[in-house]
Amino acid sequence: MNNNNTESEELKEQSQLLLDKCTKKKKKNPKFSSYIEPLVSKKLSERIKECGDFLQMLSDLNLENSKLHRASFCGNRFCPMCSWRIACKDSLEISILMEHLRKEESKEFIFLTLTTPNVKGADLDNSIKAYNKAFKKLMERKEVKSIVKGYIRKLEVTYNLDKSSKSYNTYHPHFHVVLAVNRSYFKKQNLYINHHRWLSLWQESTGDYSITQVDVRKAKINDYKEVYELAKYSAKDSDYLINREVFTVFYKSLKGKQVLVFSGLFKDAHKMYKNGELDLYKKLDTIEYAYMVSYNWLKKKYDTSNIRELTEEEKQKFNKNLIEDVDIE
Ligand SMILES: [Zn+2]
């Protein structure tokens, strides 16, 4: 961070922005809690209802910059609040894994989006299973296997809520994939798989020749938009909170399914990341935290319940740490 005026203007807003984001997510909680209640245990349901009732943030001297310190989060993947927090962390991890493989393994990346036609709610579960099989088949094709050194695959399902569309009330499962390849891949004609070939391979893997699209592109450095596509949860709350019926379809089809899959070099790097071996790629948080601010949720907004100065011991502990997430959405 530098001290030019525009940036300090932006910084002034930062604490409020963070609280606004939490408020936006927390406001979705009553609907979410009510939809999930019949599908989970009483104990979990209670925890979900209380998710984000209490937040603690660390703030600097002017209360301009804050970060979440502790909260009563439920951790459920469908929870609008928790899925957002998880995506912020996963975004950082994915961008670091790519940076690491780029630097240490001399790899480049391809973003691949694989889709098939929309399905009815009753068929979603089976169609996801078929998708997983088709993907496996694709990765086992000789020409693919010989170039892919690792991948991250994310399953996403969207819902068509446009009443004027002929696909209204259908679901669209698809994969967002990043493939690690050797740098030379893009130059070697005998190895390079063009767009048209990717489409044929995907048609053959699914056995569905009505598929007309695959999206494939070489990754640019720091392509955070694509990284975010991989990191965000499999379903958008604006889709699955449409009504109880849609929520139940999403919940039952995605529950227990592995959402983010790491393979090959990405799997190794993922382990290293978890072990802290890639911490050198994380940035140091240079904000000087001086206060602990506690908030309670009061029906429609967060209310500051307490502000206190950090003790010397806490200042030592909470300052100069590594940044563990990316600020998104
Ligand atoms: Zn939660």
Side-chain angles (χ1 to χ4, degrees):
M1 301 283 157
N2 61 42
N3 292 321
N4 74 45
N5 281 336
T6 0
E7 276 205 24
S8 58
E9 278 302 312
E10 278 172 20
L11 289 179
K12 262 180 207 159
E13 309 263 321
Q14 196 275 345
S15 285
Q16 191 53 44
L17 280 175
L18 179 59
L19 198 63
D20 288 350
K21 281 180 194 172
C22 293
T23 303
K24 207 176 114 203
K25 301 292 173 186
K26 180 64 181 163
K27 277 185 175 166
K28 296 179 178 178
N29 182 283
K31 201 182 219 184
F32 167 62
S33 301
S34 141
Y35 289 174
I36 203 169
E37 194 174 6
L39 303 163
V40 297
S41 71
K42 215 178 158 74
K43 203 175 148 197
L44 180 55
S45 168
E46 283 306 311
R47 209 163 76 220
I48 286 169
K49 265 183 213 157
E50 289 162 9
C51 179
D53 275 357
F54 166 77
L55 303 176
Q56 265 190 336
M57 292 191 195
L58 295 169
S59 272
D60 59 2
L61 264 182
N62 303 319
L63 302 177
E64 287 174 353
N65 292 284
S66 295
K67 76 169 175 187
L68 267 173
H69 173 60
R70 246 163 29 108
S72 53
F73 288 151
C74 71
N76 188 280
R77 288 198 307 188
F78 282 89
C79 170
M81 179 82 88
C82 293
S83 61
W84 163 56
R85 299 307 311 155
I86 295 167
C88 292
K89 288 195 161 54
D90 286 349
S91 275
L92 179 70
E93 171 170 358
I94 293 168
S95 55
I96 286 180
L97 299 189
M98 290 172 71
E99 193 181 344
H100 163 71
L101 294 182
R102 205 172 242 138
K103 281 186 180 150
E104 300 300 320
E105 305 284 342
S106 307
K107 295 294 172 263
E108 288 289 334
F109 306 96
I110 301 168
F111 289 118
L112 187 64
T113 311
L114 301 167
T115 68
T116 62
N118 286 32
V119 295
K120 293 265 171 232
D123 301 324
L124 182 59
D125 186 39
N126 278 335
S127 120
I128 291 172
K129 285 174 187 152
Y131 245 85
N132 287 337
K133 275 191 197 140
F135 183 80
K136 199 163 171 263
K137 243 179 171 172
L138 176 69
M139 288 299 124
E140 279 166 3
R141 290 294 294 264
K142 210 170 154 195
E143 61 193 287
V144 176
K145 209 173 173 177
S146 64
I147 61 144
V148 173
K149 309 300 172 192
Y151 64 79
I152 306 175
R153 185 190 86 196
K154 206 273 307 269
L155 169 72
E156 180 169 359
V157 182
T158 52
Y159 170 72
N160 189 326
L161 45 94
D162 174 9
K163 285 190 172 155
S164 65
S165 156
K166 68 178 193 312
S167 325
Y168 169 64
N169 196 26
T170 60
Y171 297 78
H172 182 56
H174 54 280
F175 282 135
H176 291 278
V177 188
V178 57
L179 305 171
V181 295
N182 288 338
R183 275 182 196 158
S184 58
Y185 161 76
F186 296 96
K187 290 174 204 123
K188 288 191 178 164
Q189 284 217 322
N190 57 329
L191 292 179
Y192 187 77
I193 303 174
N194 66 26
H195 180 263
H196 185 259
R197 184 63 190 150
W198 277 114
L199 177 61
S200 306
L201 287 166
W202 182 234
Q203 286 172 336
E204 286 162 26
S205 304
T206 54
D208 186 342
Y209 293 85
S210 71
I211 299 170
T212 55
Q213 292 295 324
V214 292
D215 189 74
V216 52
R217 66 186 77 195
K218 186 179 174 183
K220 286 174 283 197
I221 290 175
N222 300 335
D223 193 339
Y224 293 113
K225 196 183 156 284
E226 290 289 347
V227 167
Y228 175 59
E229 286 298 323
L230 282 157
K232 69 182 192 192
Y233 185 53
S234 289
K236 291 195 291 262
D237 53 37
S238 54
D239 278 1
Y240 63 73
L241 293 181
I242 283 289
N243 60 47
R244 189 179 291 276
E245 193 194 334
V246 168
F247 179 81
T248 308
V249 170
F250 267 103
Y251 184 81
K252 290 191 169 163
S253 311
L254 287 174
K255 191 180 170 276
K257 303 264 192 324
Q258 203 178 354
V259 168
L260 204 55
V261 176
F262 298 89
S263 165
L265 285 180
F266 274 115
K267 193 176 179 180
D268 302 339
H270 174 59
K271 270 189 208 147
M272 290 172 80
Y273 188 88
K274 294 286 167 214
N275 292 336
E277 289 168 64
L278 301 182
D279 279 358
L280 67 155
Y281 293 98
K282 290 182 184 167
K283 292 194 174 67
L284 200 67
D285 188 349
T286 53
I287 294 163
E288 286 267 347
Y289 297 104
Y291 290 103
M292 178 80 81
V293 190
S294 303
Y295 297 91
N296 283 320
W297 180 252
L298 299 176
K299 291 216 164 100
K300 287 198 163 81
K301 67 180 180 74
Y302 279 107
D303 192 51
T304 314
S305 66
N306 184 34
I307 302 183
R308 67 166 178 84
E309 260 184 79
L310 295 177
T311 64
E312 279 312 309
E313 200 184 333
E314 283 173 327
K315 278 184 189 167
Q316 294 268 321
K317 204 170 150 194
F318 301 146
N319 280 303
K320 300 200 170 60
N321 289 328
L322 297 173
I323 297 175
E324 301 287 347
D325 54 21
V326 181
D327 189 21
I328 48 173
E329 209 193 3

